[in-house]
Amino acid sequence: MRAADGHGGPNDLGTLTSLAIGVVIVVALYVGRDVLVPIALAILLSFVLAPVVRLLRRAWLGRVPAVFLAVTLALGVILSLGGLIGMQMSQLIPDIPRYASTIDQKIASVRTRVVGQMSGIVDVLGKQLQRASAPSAQPPPGPAAGPGEEAGKPMPVEIRQPEPTPIEIAERILAPLVPPLATAGIVFIVTIFILLQQADLRDRFIRLFGLQDLHRTTRALDDTTRRLSRYLLTQLGLNAFFGLLIGVGLLLIGVPNPLLWGTLAALFRFVPYIGSVLSGLLPTALAAAIDPGWSMAIYTAALFVVTETVMGQFVDPLAYGRSTGLSPVSVVIAAIFWTWMWGPIGLILSMPLTVCLVVLGRHVQRLEFLDVLMGDRPALTPAESFYQRILANDPDEALEYAEFLLKDRSLSTYYDEVAIKGLQLAANDAERGVLSVALLARIQGAMSRLIEELDGFSDVAPASAKPRSEATSGVDMPAQEAPPSPAASERIEPEEGKLVGAWSGPAPVLCIAGSGALDGAVTDMLVQLLAKNGLGARAVPFAAASREAIGSLDATGVAMVCICYLDISFSPSQLRYLVRRVRQIAPRTPVLVGLWPREDAQASEERLQAAVDADYYVSSLREGVNACLALARAARQVNLPGCVVRAA
């Protein structure tokens, strides 16, 4: 009953179900963090070792020996780093008291030089306050001391703990090491099983999420594996390079144990945002403790700042490509979320986990919301953004957005890929009755002003334009550019005398708008593009070609008629009778019909031509301009006033 009167229904139930599932997932991640953290680490380690396993298998090793050898190598690297850090720390610890003394002397020197006068004033005020608060009377005498006791002196009491046994000493040493060692053991065991059962796990995931679309799910898994492996290996290499630069720099500066600080810098850089800052605190403090002055500390801090700036602004973008596929806001939110869920380990895992979720959301339909929320691709397509600006009666912002898109595409491409698709969204809303007459009129006015403002742009793709694809462009557009506009030398300019017959007139192309409310805007676009390509044209509304007004429509000097229909709800019979009326006033003139049907309702060209008896059928403005140019060239070659050329 609620669904019937518009107050509830399946959508509300689906929203509540999704919210409940999300809450359950978050609670499960928090409660089961002791189990899920090792599994997540194992999955990420398997992504890192998967290329190594493939490389070993190419060396004629079986799957099992390759997996165990790769895991052994990873374990050896981790143990070597741990041993290196332990040895370096053991060399550093004996000198810590001396370093602390130097720091105290520096602090005392700073306090003497900078805060000397202030401390004197504070001391004077403190003494005055002590005098004012001192008691005026002597405290009452305490009880008399007993025999053998000194008056006012408490009896000393000493508590001694028994000496710890060897078992207790071993327990104190080994107890803190058991949890990390157990976690490491679980990680390596799960990693081995993941690498051994990689194909089986993929099949199970396909069965769970993508059985209805094997191709898309397989592509998603391959893309996820490839992208995460590349990302993690690249991050590992960059962090190692960062640690190498820090170690060499500290060696040149003269800071002790540069190998230790370089290793820690490489490891800390896995923590996003604050890792480099944390790795620079200890060596900077150590430099301040060693050097009697401050030059070594300044050089050390500058080394970390300059190195991280160069790496973050130049080296990382070149290595990672355009981006990791994440929006900046999602990176920050993911770091906060995973740190809250899993602590410091969650902060380290936040970037790889978020990349994995975004890639899955980009390919698995049921997880698409993850890509929308956290991906770096625009939430709205260019056509949707265009329609939103026009709908909001903001032609200035629409013009600014158009100028941005026109930096790497021609005007006709912008019209075909953005403007017309945006107008199709408006036509859909008009068909559903959600656009009022006043709002439609406002959209028409905004479109007229936008087309007029874009008249200064040429219909030639910029020389710097590159093919747009999902991997290299933030705009979700087709990968291939539309057929390029004719070069300036190939255009047909009337003043050059290249046009013959009816094509040499001021407006040889007659553009008739369809019966839809927005068909006039498409017609104006076509007229503008024809003019930019050397052909004069004029536009007339649908009313001028109606049964009552067709007799008064002036077809003198018309070499071609173009009919533009944008509205998807057009009637084929209406279009057929319109073409018939046009042929009555211009029997020898070729007729071109431009239709922009929805992707899910595209009709074949042959069926439409058979139904409406048109000479040409096009589904883009670029095709319409090319058809008109081809007819003009054909008429020039045969020197005829008009030439009906049937489409092949």
Side-chain angles (χ1 to χ4, degrees), residues 18 76 102 133 148 156 162 166 188 284 294 312 325 336 374 390 397 433 523 581 648:
S18 301
T102 305
S133 60
F188 280 100
T284 303
W294 295 96
I336 296 173
M374 297 181 291
I390 295 297
E397 190 174 351
T523 306
R581 293 195 297 271

Side-chain angles (χ1 to χ4, degrees), residues 224 227 324-327 330 352-364 367-368 370-377:
T224 303
R227 183 173 296 203
T324 58
L326 305 179
S327 65
S330 69
L353 288 176
T354 309
V355 170
C356 181
L357 293 176
V358 168
V359 174
L360 288 176
R362 190 161 294 179
H363 295 288
V364 180
L367 302 177
E368 186 179 3
L370 295 173
D371 184 28
V372 175
L373 292 176
M374 297 181 291
D376 63 347
R377 295 192 299 182

Side-chain angles (χ1 to χ4, degrees), residues 54 103 157 173 266 284 324 328 352 406 409 510 595 612:
R54 288 195 295 267
I103 290 292
V157 177
I173 296 175
T284 303
T324 58
L406 285 169
R409 54 179 54 80
L510 176 64
L595 293 172
V612 302

